[in-house]
Amino acid sequence: NCEVYIVGLRTPPARSGHRCVADNTNLYVFGGYNPDYDESGGSDNEDYPLFRELWRYHFATGCWQQIRTEGYMPTELASMSAVLHGNNLLVFGGTGIPFGENNGNDVHVCNVNYKRWSLLNCRGKKPNRIYGQAMVIINGFLYVFGGTTGYIYSTDLHRLDLTTREWSHLKPNNPPDDLPEERYRHEIAHDGQRIYILGGGTSWTSYPLDKVHAYNLETNSWEEINTKPHDKIGYPAPRRCHSCVQIRDDVFICGGYNGELILADLWKINLQTFQWSKLPAVMPEPAYFHCAAVTPAGCMYIHGGVVNIFENKRTGSLFKIWLAVPSLLELCWERLLKAFPHLSSLPTMQLINLGLTQELIERLK
């Protein structure tokens, strides 16, 4: 049940190192990198080999649109972190070209409704200028872990209070040799009390997934958790540059790179049992440095990535897969859109008269 989308007039060129987020209505894709001059827009792309752009993929119509935004769009466009907080896309860190030379440590916010970028003015001890870090919002705090300057890999954990806009560097209560190994291009999951670090590595290594480092926010200390292997299959291979999405207590990792192979597998770990399960679906093409996001309804979209190491080739493909059983609402909605593709062109009053809820009408815009 993976479907391929190549619709609309223009689609985002093939890329890697970009990030994406999703709500009920759109997949937003920001940034990315492609050293192939023709593929990345040639002389039309003044940011070559980077993409200084924000795209949206509209689920209801299957159309891509490059969003024209106001304000200052960040120039660190590879391996930044992105998270959607209400209508605000928060982007932190990342690197320009050459990698490691032009890193960022600012938080840029794009309101996706008003299509306007602004810089979050922050106080306190902010992280170094890094890329390849992972971040997550928990209870109004933005947590940032790991990353690299391009030369030094980090095991730092920083926290930004989104209310007071103050950064703090969290000092764990562990002895120094009890910290997770420094890394980049890992992923993060959380259960409200702990932050879990999944995989990642350096340019010469990838970390295994049989043990998971967890930061306990209540005791302010790192813990190491032994996970349980999938019966007869074992653990997912070590990896970096993979993708990760979370639905309640289930965390799904997909693809990535282990130093020699590009991976295409899809795994789930449950944060209550720490049981790994390998899912039967595989990515239509193995990829790393791709991006993934899950809708509130439980549908995961994956976009782009590096698909061939030797040819240094990237893809612009978009795939989707349901990770949860769709609700009756979602099933009916997909059926309705298939039967009446022109629905989005109808005036709002007509949609109301047809019996559509406000929430569904908003998905058509």
Side-chain angles (χ1 to χ4, degrees), residues 218-274:
E218 290 174 16
T219 64
N220 202 33
S221 56
W222 286 102
E223 302 164 356
E224 193 174 58
I225 292 166
N226 291 311
T227 65
K228 300 183 185 121
H230 187 133
D231 192 34
K232 297 191 179 67
I233 297 177
Y235 299 98
R239 67 195 65 205
R240 59 187 189 259
C241 317
H242 48 298
S243 63
C244 173
V245 302
Q246 182 170 349
I247 302 174
R248 291 177 289 280
D249 281 328
D250 287 327
V251 179
F252 300 83
I253 66 162
C254 184
Y257 182 56
N258 68 2
E260 47 189 79
L261 289 176
I262 306 180
L263 303 165
D265 48 353
L266 174 60
W267 288 78
K268 173 176 89 168
I269 186 170
N270 180 281
L271 294 183
Q272 293 200 344
T273 62
F274 299 107

Side-chain angles (χ1 to χ4, degrees), residues 65-322:
Q65 177 193 24
Q66 190 177 340
I67 302 177
R68 289 199 174 86
T69 57
E70 294 172 17
Y72 181 80
M73 187 185 289
T75 52
E76 299 83 21
L77 298 162
S79 293
M80 58 276 149
S81 310
V83 59
L84 193 61
H85 188 52
N87 292 321
N88 291 310
L89 168 65
L90 276 67
V91 175
F92 171 80
T95 181
I97 290 291
F99 295 149
E101 295 294 308
N102 299 293
N103 305 342
N105 62 350
D106 284 321
V107 178
H108 293 267
V109 183
C110 182
N111 183 302
V112 294
N113 275 5
Y114 297 117
K115 303 178 173 56
R116 188 180 303 125
W117 286 95
S118 53
L119 178 66
L120 207 59
N121 277 319
C122 300
R123 305 179 290 130
K125 177 79 184 80
K126 60 182 182 182
N128 292 332
R129 297 177 174 273
I130 49 170
Y131 64 97
Q133 67 287 339
M135 75 179 188
V136 65
I137 293 177
I138 307 172
N139 299 330
F141 290 96
L142 178 75
Y143 293 88
V144 175
F145 174 75
T148 182
T149 61
Y151 307 96
I152 299 162
Y153 292 88
S154 160
T155 186
D156 288 343
L157 180 63
H158 284 82
R159 177 174 88 175
L160 174 65
D161 184 328
L162 292 173
T163 311
T164 64
R165 299 188 180 183
E166 181 156 13
W167 278 107
S168 43
H169 183 190
L170 297 182
K171 299 278 200 309
N173 294 323
N174 311 62
D177 52 357
D178 247 8
L179 301 177
E181 302 87 347
E182 42 282 303
R183 66 190 69 202
Y184 96 132
R185 292 301 311 211
H186 46 287
E187 293 293 332
I188 278 186
H190 81 94
D191 59 11
Q193 186 191 343
R194 288 181 180 84
I195 297 172
Y196 301 92
I197 311 298
L198 297 165
T202 62
S203 60
W204 60 88
T205 184
S206 298
Y207 293 124
L209 289 157
D210 56 338
K211 289 187 171 72
V212 170
H213 291 281
Y215 188 81
N216 188 321
L217 296 170
E218 290 174 16
T219 64
N220 202 33
S221 56
W222 286 102
E223 302 164 356
E224 193 174 58
I225 292 166
N226 291 311
T227 65
K228 300 183 185 121
H230 187 133
D231 192 34
K232 297 191 179 67
I233 297 177
Y235 299 98
R239 67 195 65 205
R240 59 187 189 259
C241 317
H242 48 298
S243 63
C244 173
V245 302
Q246 182 170 349
I247 302 174
R248 291 177 289 280
D249 281 328
D250 287 327
V251 179
F252 300 83
I253 66 162
C254 184
Y257 182 56
N258 68 2
E260 47 189 79
L261 289 176
I262 306 180
L263 303 165
D265 48 353
L266 174 60
W267 288 78
K268 173 176 89 168
I269 186 170
N270 180 281
L271 294 183
Q272 293 200 344
T273 62
F274 299 107
Q275 175 68 56
W276 281 107
S277 317
K278 187 175 194 290
L279 302 188
V282 292
M283 295 167 75
E285 54 186 340
Y288 70 108
F289 277 127
H290 56 293
C291 70
V294 68
T295 64
C299 187
M300 177 174 75
Y301 289 80
I302 56 172
H303 179 259
V306 178
V307 291
N308 187 311
I309 301 162
F310 308 106
E311 296 172 20
N312 199 14
K313 183 130 187 70
R314 283 150 185 79
T315 180
S317 300
L318 177 68
F319 301 101
K320 78 170 200 180
I321 181 170
W322 280 96

Side-chain angles (χ1 to χ4, degrees), residues 58 60-61 337 340-347 351 363-365:
H58 187 222
T61 56
L337 290 172
F340 299 101
H342 63 285
L343 210 55
S344 63
S345 60
L346 297 181
L351 294 169
R363 290 196 199 183
L364 290 171
K365 301 295 170 240

